[in-house]
Amino acid sequence: MLKALTKKAIYAVAAFAFAVALTAMSGPAKANESPFGAMNGAWSGGGTITLASGAKEQIRCRATNAVDGSGANLQLTLRCASDSYKFELQSNVNHNAGAVSGTWAETTHRVGGTITGSASANRIAVRVEGTIAAMLTVSTKADKQQISIEAPGSEMSAVAISMNRGK
């Protein structure tokens, strides 16, 4: 049971990391000029999780991104599920002069940490640290978003997700 809980916590953290990446992508100066502004709203989609063993699983996700009036701050809630687990991630991030920073928490397993990185145009690249360390990139173009997470050495080694803005 401890092994399963640890595995679930790692999955949740990695997924949260991807959520953080989403979050990081939504936030500088004015909402319409910031990378965060492009991320505002409801998103859903799916992708693949690759485990350290090489096994792959399909995952479905829904996200809600709320960007403040200045466009510099983003609050994100992400819920994801596969056949074997589910998690809920929350993050608060700030964008200032190309730098992204903030915090994240996976509420199901009570883990969290920090987010640091950079943003330019429609791409965000961040490092998520806490229970695990991961590199995340998020690209947003119109109503489509691509998320990539790389967490070598963790139970969940990679995540690739495509999201669409809700209608």
Side-chain angles (χ1 to χ4, degrees):
M1 174 129 179
L2 181 56
K3 183 177 180 183
L5 178 59
T6 301
K7 198 175 204 181
K8 285 183 180 181
I10 290 171
Y11 290 161
V13 171
F16 176 78
F18 114 103
V20 170
L22 289 175
T23 302
M25 209 160 164
S26 302
K30 296 181 183 175
N32 60 356
E33 296 175 8
S34 77
F36 290 166
M39 294 187 61
N40 199 37
W43 296 79
S44 63
T48 304
I49 294 173
T50 304
L51 304 175
S53 67
K56 294 183 179 189
E57 266 191 48
Q58 297 298 307
I59 190 166
R60 299 290 304 158
C61 300
R62 292 189 177 277
T64 303
N65 300 330
V67 180
D68 73 353
S70 73
N73 299 292
L74 172 73
Q75 290 184 328
L76 173 113
T77 299
L78 175 71
R79 291 178 180 93
C80 293
S82 74
D83 289 340
S84 66
Y85 64 92
K86 62 182 176 179
F87 55 86
E88 182 173 333
L89 305 168
Q90 297 176 349
S91 64
N92 291 296
V93 289
N94 175 269
H95 178 269
N96 184 13
V100 175
S101 62
T103 60
W104 64 271
E106 196 286 311
T107 60
T108 306
H109 298 95
R110 297 186 178 136
V111 294
T114 61
I115 303 162
T116 57
S118 62
S120 61
N122 65 344
R123 185 173 188 275
I124 304 254
V126 297
R127 179 171 179 83
V128 175
E129 295 183 293
T131 307
I132 66 164
M135 297 303 294
L136 307 153
T137 59
V138 180
S139 297
T140 303
K141 185 173 183 183
D143 290 336
K144 299 205 179 286
Q145 193 169 78
Q146 301 293 317
I147 299 115
S148 172
I149 301 170
E150 299 291 330
S154 72
E155 195 64 33
M156 182 186 305
S157 61
V159 178
I161 298 173
S162 295
M163 308 262 295
N164 293 305
R165 190 182 313 271
K167 306 262 182 209

